[in-house]
Amino acid sequence: MSKKKHMQPLAVELKPYVAPFQFDGSGEFHLKSQKTGEKGGLDKDKGEKIIEANRKRLADFQAKLYAQDNWSLLLIFQGMDASGKDSAIKSVFDGVNPQGCQVFSFKSPSTRELDHDYMWRSTICLPERGRIGIFNRSYYEELLIVRVHPEILAKQKIPPSLVRKTIWRERFEDISAFENISRATAPWC
C-alpha cells in the first residue's frame, strides 16, 4: 500500500502566485499604481508546469460538470483590444473538450442587439447546464466603453427621459442584480 501524497487545496497552493493580482474591494484601487512587470514570483518553466497541471484539472472538472449536468460555469475575459484575451482563452482551455464549451466574443452591438436592452445579448449566451461559457468581453463594456463614448449610448435608442445623470450607477446596480438573480435561479456560478 503506497502512501498518498497529501495535497493542499488548489486555492492554497496557488495563493502566493495569485495574491499580487488580487484586489479584495477594501480600500482604494488605482490602476496606475500597479506594477506592470509583476510575474507573481514565477519564472517561465514553473509557470508552464502549473498551467499544464491546471489544464488537466480543468479537463477533469469539465468532465464532471458535463456528467452531473446540474451546474455550469461562466468565465469572463475582459480587457482592452490586444490585451491578450484570445491568447489567454486559447492557452487556458487547451486540452478541454470543445463540445463542453461555448465561446462568445462581444464586439460592437449589431442592429438586432441594439433593438434590445444592453443585457440581452449576454443573457442569451449564458452557458447551459454541464457546460463552460466563455465571454470574450461582456456587459461590463457598458460601464467602460459606452461611458467613455456617448455616441454608443445614443445608438441604443433609449428614451431620453431614461438617460439621466444616474444611468451609470443604475447600470452598475442592474449588472449586480443580474448576477445575483442568475446565481440564484440559473445554474452558473
Side-chain angles (χ1 to χ4, degrees), residues 16-174:
Y17 309 117
V18 174
F21 308 104
Q22 284 185 317
F23 176 67
D24 65 4
S26 64
E28 291 187 18
F29 177 84
H30 299 283
L31 190 58
K32 67 182 178 186
S33 65
Q34 302 304 306
K35 297 178 190 174
T36 57
E38 180 64 54
K39 295 188 181 355
L42 293 173
D43 61 31
K44 188 173 183 172
D45 290 337
K46 190 167 188 173
E48 286 177 358
K49 287 178 185 172
I50 290 172
I51 288 170
E52 193 54 43
N54 286 326
R55 282 182 182 140
K56 172 75 173 114
R57 286 181 174 136
L58 186 57
D60 292 345
F61 169 76
Q62 182 194 23
K64 290 175 186 170
L65 185 70
Y66 182 78
Q68 292 174 347
D69 198 26
N70 291 320
W71 296 94
S72 57
L73 176 67
L74 176 63
L75 299 157
I76 298 174
F77 288 75
Q78 189 72 44
M80 296 171 55
D81 288 343
S83 64
K85 297 179 301 295
D86 292 317
S87 297
I89 291 167
K90 183 178 178 183
S91 176
V92 169
F93 293 93
D94 185 32
V96 171
N97 183 343
Q99 293 179 358
C101 288
Q102 299 163 299
V103 181
F104 297 96
S105 293
F106 296 102
K107 307 287 184 194
S108 295
S110 68
T111 304
R112 180 175 184 227
E113 291 167 339
L114 288 169
D115 280 337
H116 293 83
D117 75 82
Y118 72 97
M119 294 294 290
W120 179 80
R121 67 183 187 157
S122 298
T123 304
I124 63 169
C125 296
L126 290 174
E128 303 155 6
R129 285 180 177 86
R131 299 181 69 115
I132 297 173
I134 303 164
F135 284 5
N136 183 339
R137 298 192 185 225
S138 71
Y139 41 80
Y140 293 117
E141 293 284 302
E142 288 296 319
L143 305 173
L144 304 168
I145 306 304
V146 178
R147 193 172 188 174
V148 175
H149 296 281
E151 68 275 11
I152 299 173
L153 185 64
K155 289 179 184 175
Q156 294 181 0
K157 304 179 215 171
I158 301 169
S161 63
L162 297 180
V163 182
R164 313 181 274 270
K165 288 181 181 179
T166 57
I167 191 168
W168 304 115
R169 181 180 48 80
E170 291 166 358
R171 287 193 172 190
F172 274 108
E173 291 170 359
D174 289 346

